[in-house]
């Protein structure tokens, strides 16, 4: 049995799960050399919501973050999370945008790209997997794990085989809501190890209380890599903590070989950062406990906070329990999609509307129409005919890969943002987040002007004669 490897998530999912992705690059940089010396399998530090949050809330260039981390992390692989054909946005993009994004991500320092699709429609993984391999990256294909009457271990094993055949270099079981229980995990991993030959990584969240137990059984079943977060940004809606798992495996056949003293240094760095975000109110203590509603309603932690926010805006917090019960009904209506970005937001918003309006599907967001029409891909079960008629009427559903209907976009976006372009990557920012990108470019321009002005001294000034 090989030693188990650890991927550290504090630089991405740890703070995405607990403080809405608000950790700043400057808070990461001082500890990176120590993190690089630990011997992690990888540092997950980019993708997911980090790109959007950098632009929208932190006034940071996500590409600068990637380059700054790569400059300091010389030995350890850097990993990112990519939503397949959705990239880091919330809709499908043309193949030329996918290709360019993957090429630039790898050129700027990403080694491993974890590629998932919210519907487990492998057609939406294909282009990103091909591009990652073409540009010299490690393509990690992903199963979005969920529970439903139709999501059996056989379904996930079949998906895994398909992902391996597509050329993925490794497989991730992405358990975004913490639904994997220890004994089923053992069965699933054991079966997968006998059916596929690529390495298997397990990603879970501690929300349900299963997290560390699930990892222990996965390791016993032969999983190759587990995702953990250093303790100040672990537990609750984040990943299980790194240090106790490393300690638990010490001296066994699964020993990670990681040094607890180095891990303690890393924890000491992040502890005051955690305290700062607790004091500011960004880290809600409610997110730190076990939430059994995850198992009852299969609602991931991030989706719970979105539901609360929507209900507060509608002055309808008294309907919270009703909305939680409506979520599984909407999910069944829509063909049992796994609840992960963007489907978690789509299902959650429809559940809120159904309850607040007092009538199911009286009001339907455009994203729900698109899902029913097939614009996000194929759902696990076909959507019932009566639901299709109720939501899109006589409109025809599409059956092809959604991106086949999207014309190349890159050149048009390039023309559109020519005035602001300072680097090749700006086109990709504009393609995925048109409005936040333009706002960011304008702020960057103003900031650059201020810096340039400050560099001038009296002798540099040219006065008219």
């Amino acid at each position: 049995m090989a030693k188990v490897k650890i991927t550290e998530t504090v630089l991405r999912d740890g703070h995405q799960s607990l403080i809405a992705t608000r950790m700043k690059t400057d808070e990461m940089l001082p500890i990176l050399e120590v993190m690089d010396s630990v011997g992690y399998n990888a540092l997950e530090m980019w993708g997911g919501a980090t790109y959007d949050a950098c632009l929208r809330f932190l006034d940071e260039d996500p590409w600068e973050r990637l380059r700054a981390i790569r400059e300091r992390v010389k030995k350890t692989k850097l990993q990112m999370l990519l939503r397949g054909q959705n990239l880091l946005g919330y809709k499908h993009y043309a193949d030329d945008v996918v290709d360019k994004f993957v090429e630039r991500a790898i050129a700027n320092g990403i080694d491993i790209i974890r590629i998932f699709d919210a519907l487990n429609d492998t057609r939406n993984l294909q282009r990103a997997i091909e591009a990652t391999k073409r540009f010299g990256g490690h393509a990690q294909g992903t199963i979005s794990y969920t529970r439903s009457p139709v999501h059996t271990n056989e379904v996930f094993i079949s998906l895994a085989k398909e992902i391996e055949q597509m050329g993925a270099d490794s497989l991730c079981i992405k358990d975004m809501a913490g639904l994997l229980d220890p004994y089923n995990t053992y069965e699933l991993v054991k079966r997968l190890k006998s059916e596929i030959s690529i390495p298997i990584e397990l990603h879970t969240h501690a929300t349900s209380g299963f997290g560390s137990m699930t990892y222990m059984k996965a390791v016993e079943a032969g999983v190759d890599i587990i995702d953990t977060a250093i303790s100040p940004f672990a537990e609750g809606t984040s990943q299980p903590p790194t240090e106790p798992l490393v300690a638990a495996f010490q001296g066994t056949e699964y020993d990670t070989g990681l040094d607890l003293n180095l891990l303690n240094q890393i924890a000491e760095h992040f502890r005051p950062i955690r305290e700062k975000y607790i004091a500011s109110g960004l880290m809600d203590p409610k997110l730190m406990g076990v939430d059994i509603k995850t198992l009852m309603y299969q609602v991931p932690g991030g989706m719970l906070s979105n539901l609360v926010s929507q209900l507060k805006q509608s002055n309808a917090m008294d309907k919270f329990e009703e909305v939680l019960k409506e979520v599984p009904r909407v999910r069944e209506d829509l063909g049992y999609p796994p609840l992960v970005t963007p489907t978690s937001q789509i299902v959650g918003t429809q559940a809120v509307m159904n309850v607040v309006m007092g009538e199911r599907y009286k009001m339907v967001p455009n994203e729900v129409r698109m899902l029913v029409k097939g614009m996000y891909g194929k759902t696990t079960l076909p959507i019932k005919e009566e639901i299709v008629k109720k939501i899109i009427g006589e409109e025809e559903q599409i059956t092809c890969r959604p991106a086949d209907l999207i014309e190349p976009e890159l050149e048009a976006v390039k023309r559109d943002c020519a005035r602001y372009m300072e680097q090749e990557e700006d086109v990709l920012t504009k393609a995925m987040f048109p409005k936040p990108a333009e706002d960011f470019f304008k702020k960057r321009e103003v900031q650059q002007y201020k810096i340039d002005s400050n560099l001038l001294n009296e002798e540099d000034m040219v006065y008219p004669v």
Side-chain angles (χ1 to χ4, degrees):
M1 172 71 209
K3 293 181 174 185
V4 68
K5 296 175 183 174
I6 302 273
T7 291
E8 174 61 59
T9 68
V10 66
L11 304 177
R12 203 284 296 177
D13 206 6
H15 71 101
Q16 179 171 320
S17 296
L18 294 179
I19 57 168
T21 333
R22 296 298 204 281
M23 195 183 290
K24 299 177 181 68
T25 304
D26 286 348
E27 292 170 324
M28 304 173 184
L29 297 182
I31 197 64
L32 291 178
E33 278 85 356
V34 178
M35 295 182 81
D36 193 24
S37 68
V38 167
Y40 287 118
N41 171 68
L43 297 177
E44 193 209 40
M45 44 62 66
W46 212 57
T50 60
Y51 200 104
D52 191 359
C54 277
L55 296 171
R56 217 181 285 265
F57 304 114
L58 304 178
D59 288 336
E60 289 189 18
D61 182 346
W63 295 97
E64 283 298 329
R65 171 178 292 189
L66 171 54
R67 290 189 283 262
I69 294 175
R70 179 78 282 174
E71 192 181 320
R72 289 159 179 81
V73 177
K74 302 184 189 304
K75 296 181 287 188
T76 312
K77 287 183 166 60
L78 297 182
Q79 180 171 310
M80 73 166 292
L81 180 68
L82 192 76
R83 301 181 191 123
Q85 206 73 28
N86 286 16
L87 295 177
L88 301 177
Y90 305 101
K91 67 182 186 72
H92 284 207
Y93 301 95
D95 287 337
D96 63 339
V97 178
V98 173
D99 290 348
K100 191 65 177 175
F101 181 89
V102 169
E103 185 255 310
R104 293 319 300 156
I106 292 168
N108 279 277
I110 289 293
D111 298 295
I112 302 167
I113 303 184
R114 176 177 293 170
I115 303 159
F116 80 96
D117 177 65
L119 295 178
N120 282 325
D121 185 340
T122 53
R123 298 174 304 172
N124 297 332
L125 305 177
Q126 184 73 59
R127 189 72 181 211
I129 287 175
E130 287 171 357
T132 301
K133 291 177 75 69
R134 185 161 74 250
F135 296 115
H138 175 112
Q140 185 173 83
T142 306
I143 294 167
S144 295
Y145 182 83
T146 189
R147 286 182 180 178
S148 80
V150 294
H151 284 96
T152 61
N153 283 355
E154 281 65 34
V155 165
F156 293 125
I157 288 158
S158 173
L159 263 172
K161 287 178 175 175
E162 198 177 336
I163 287 167
E164 182 179 37
Q165 284 161 8
M166 289 167 78
D169 299 300
S170 62
L171 176 81
C172 175
I173 307 165
K174 179 177 168 62
D175 177 24
M176 52 279 174
L179 299 175
L180 264 172
D181 65 87
Y183 289 102
N184 186 48
T185 300
Y186 185 89
E187 290 303 317
L188 178 59
V189 171
K190 203 82 177 159
R191 289 275 309 278
L192 284 170
K193 289 299 286 184
S194 69
E195 299 276 358
I196 63 172
S197 58
I198 54 177
I200 300 171
E201 184 159 358
L202 178 56
H203 175 95
T204 192
H205 289 250
T207 325
S208 65
F210 281 150
S212 293
M213 294 184 284
T214 291
Y215 277 160
M216 293 290 280
K217 293 306 286 182
V219 169
E220 287 175 9
V223 85
D224 299 281
I225 311 157
I226 55 174
D227 289 4
T228 64
I230 205 76
S231 54
F233 279 87
E235 296 287 16
T237 50
S238 178
Q239 277 71 58
T242 307
E243 306 97 308
L245 282 157
V246 167
F249 293 127
Q250 270 185 344
T252 73
E253 60 189 306
Y254 313 115
D255 196 322
T256 65
L258 303 192
D259 184 336
L260 280 167
N261 291 316
L262 288 177
L263 294 177
N264 187 50
Q265 279 186 52
I266 296 164
E268 289 298 319
H269 170 81
F270 285 107
R271 198 163 284 118
I273 296 171
R274 167 199 167 95
E275 295 307 318
K276 181 184 91 172
Y277 285 110
I278 288 175
S280 73
L282 252 182
M283 188 182 279
D284 187 339
K286 288 176 192 162
L287 298 179
M288 298 311 299
V290 169
D291 193 334
I292 203 64
K293 290 186 177 74
T294 297
L295 296 177
M296 292 165 64
Y297 305 118
Q298 303 187 25
V299 176
M303 184 178 170
L304 268 179
S305 54
N306 277 347
L307 293 180
V308 169
S309 171
Q310 288 174 333
L311 287 169
K312 280 180 179 172
Q313 287 168 18
S314 305
N315 291 318
M317 267 309 290
D318 58 314
K319 299 188 186 297
F320 182 60
E321 287 294 326
E322 208 180 326
V323 168
L324 281 181
K325 288 172 184 166
E326 177 65 4
V327 167
R329 290 195 285 263
V330 172
R331 188 170 171 243
E332 182 181 357
D333 288 344
L334 300 180
Y336 289 111
L339 295 180
V340 63
T341 304
T343 49
S344 52
Q345 290 91 326
I346 292 169
V347 170
T349 302
Q350 186 64 65
V352 169
M353 285 183 172
N354 286 356
V355 170
V356 171
M357 299 301 292
E359 183 185 328
R360 303 187 81 232
Y361 304 108
K362 182 177 182 181
M363 188 180 286
V364 178
N366 186 48
E367 288 78 10
V368 174
R369 293 183 197 282
M370 285 171 62
L371 179 68
V372 173
K373 196 169 167 56
M375 298 304 290
Y376 286 97
K378 189 170 59 180
T379 52
T380 312
L381 275 187
I383 299 169
K384 295 171 191 166
E385 195 57 44
E386 64 266 27
I387 297 293
V388 173
K389 284 213 160 28
K390 195 173 184 101
I391 292 175
I392 63 169
E394 297 304 315
E395 281 185 56
E396 199 175 333
Q397 290 176 294
I398 70 156
T399 54
C400 65
R401 183 185 75 118
D404 289 342
L405 302 174
I406 307 173
E407 294 292 325
E409 298 173 286
L410 213 51
E411 290 308 313
V413 178
K414 205 176 284 185
R415 288 192 297 273
D416 196 29
C417 77
R419 140 162 184 29
Y420 297 109
M421 265 187 72
E422 290 186 8
Q423 58 181 350
E424 206 176 343
E425 292 80 9
D426 288 344
V427 180
L428 298 160
T429 303
K430 175 74 171 167
M432 291 186 290
F433 302 103
K435 180 68 169 67
E438 195 152 319
D439 293 343
F440 173 76
F441 294 154
K442 285 173 182 172
K443 283 181 196 166
R444 183 177 66 182
E445 205 170 50
V446 169
Q447 190 62 31
Q448 194 60 47
Y449 172 74
K450 283 180 184 169
I451 292 168
D452 290 346
S453 299
N454 290 337
L455 290 174
L456 292 172
N457 59 39
E458 195 69 20
E459 291 172 6
D460 296 321
M461 302 298 283
V462 178
Y463 296 97
V465 291

